Amino acid sequence: MKRLVILTGAGMSAESGINTFRDTGGLWEKYKIDDVATPNAWRRDPALVLDFYNQRRKQLLNVAPNEGHFAVAEMEKHFDVQVITQNVDNLHERAGSTNVLHLHGELMKVRSTGSEQEVFEVLPDKIEVNLGDMCPKGFQLRPHIVWFGEAVPEIEKAISTTETADILVVIGSSLQVYPAAGLIHHTKPGIPIYLIDPHEIDHLPSHVTVIQKGASEGMKELKKNLLAG
Ligand code: APR
């Protein structure tokens, strides 16, 4: 089976009703990154940061995977698929994808501020995490999210996975945030690279095949292309 690596960003979940970050009306128009998504923000006002992610988590419980997520999961019938996602939602998993690497953390997990290794699932009946919520060793819990300015622990795994790809597909990412955006430069030379996005993405390598559509429609076209031969 050929190895299909699929790198996804916020646009993957847009049709599920989760706003992207940088489109018009996106999250970073409503919030300042520096207020809610950096280690400094956490030091300055942890309650505000926790509230921001509590809201994101509540939203996630009220949305469902879209056709695009299901189409990605279905690719496992035809390919050895690895999803690398920048998204912190769990919509790929809920659509049935079995190999999902989260580069920027996961909304439905929290971790101890005492140790990065101590990660806990957020239970659906207690999805709010507030000041005073402690890990078993007595340290405050924080979102299991990679904030701006923090290292991306899974990037090495993502790079070595991308190096094994026979086909790479990027769906719904503005490719503005590194190191994730740099993954497209880690493929074996000459493999097919597709990009599904309704908007134009600047500075793409010339050998990328662009499918200028949303995730659901774009996946239909990709499927036709990949399964035709
Ligand atoms: N289908 C596919 N793509 C879409 C759709 C759609 N229906 N709607 C919008 N898009 C595209 C936009 O055109 C844009 O190129 O999704 C992309 C979203 O880009 P960003 O908002 O920048 O999201 P992303 O690339 O995932 O951001 C990377 O930045 O804020 C941080 O940590 C956060 O993981 C995030 C990272």
Side-chain angles (χ1 to χ4, degrees):
M1 259 188 177
K2 282 193 173 171
R3 180 105 160 123
L4 173 62
V5 175
I6 305 181
L7 171 66
T8 65
M12 182 80 235
S13 300
E15 290 160 37
S16 295
I18 301 181
N19 281 352
T20 63
F21 295 99
R22 295 174 184 80
D23 287 299
T24 310
L27 265 183
W28 297 147
E29 257 180 29
K30 297 198 194 91
Y31 297 88
K32 282 199 213 137
I33 289 176
D34 287 342
D35 287 345
V36 294
T38 65
N40 259 341
W42 176 251
R43 277 190 286 272
R44 208 168 39 233
D45 193 346
L48 180 71
V49 174
L50 287 170
D51 181 59
F52 175 74
Y53 288 101
N54 284 341
Q55 286 182 44
R56 310 272 76 72
R57 217 172 282 125
K58 279 182 202 160
Q59 180 189 34
L60 180 54
L61 292 191
N62 289 314
V63 300
N66 64 58
E67 270 185 64
H69 291 107
F70 287 110
V72 166
E74 267 178 38
M75 288 306 225
E76 293 189 16
K77 291 185 192 149
H78 309 281
F79 296 95
D80 167 17
V81 179
Q82 174 72 55
V83 176
I84 302 173
T85 188
Q86 297 167 84
N87 298 343
V88 295
D89 65 50
N90 55 7
L91 296 179
H92 281 302
E93 288 90 340
R94 282 161 61 188
S97 283
T98 57
N99 296 313
V100 184
L101 179 68
H102 284 270
L103 272 184
H104 293 165
E106 293 177 67
L107 259 184
M108 295 308 288
K109 292 183 179 168
V110 288
R111 68 171 185 257
S112 164
T113 46
S115 160
E116 287 193 6
Q117 313 311 323
E118 291 190 39
V119 179
F120 308 91
E121 301 271 346
V122 175
L123 301 175
D125 58 341
K126 202 218 170 286
I127 58 160
E128 276 200 14
V129 180
N130 295 309
L131 280 184
D133 288 338
M134 306 294 186
C135 76
K137 290 184 186 155
F139 292 100
Q140 173 67 42
L141 293 171
R142 61 159 272 181
H144 186 51
I145 299 286
V146 176
W147 288 323
F148 286 89
E150 291 188 314
V152 180
E154 299 290 15
I155 194 64
E156 290 306 326
K157 208 185 280 177
I159 290 172
S160 50
T161 297
T162 305
E163 285 167 350
T164 65
D166 296 309
I167 303 165
L168 176 71
V169 179
V170 181
I171 307 173
S173 175
S174 61
L175 295 176
Q176 288 186 35
V177 175
Y178 285 80
L183 285 173
I184 58 168
H185 303 295
H186 286 277
T187 60
K188 287 180 285 201
I191 68 154
I193 302 181
Y194 293 87
L195 180 129
I196 298 173
D197 199 297
H199 303 123
E200 226 168 281
I201 304 293
D202 293 332
H203 311 301
L204 281 180
S206 58
H207 58 286
V208 174
T209 304
V210 176
I211 299 177
Q212 199 167 348
K213 292 187 171 170
S216 300
E217 287 307 309
M219 276 305 294
K220 282 184 197 155
E221 190 168 323
L222 178 83
K223 211 166 152 186
K224 264 193 242 153
N225 283 3
L226 294 186
L227 300 182

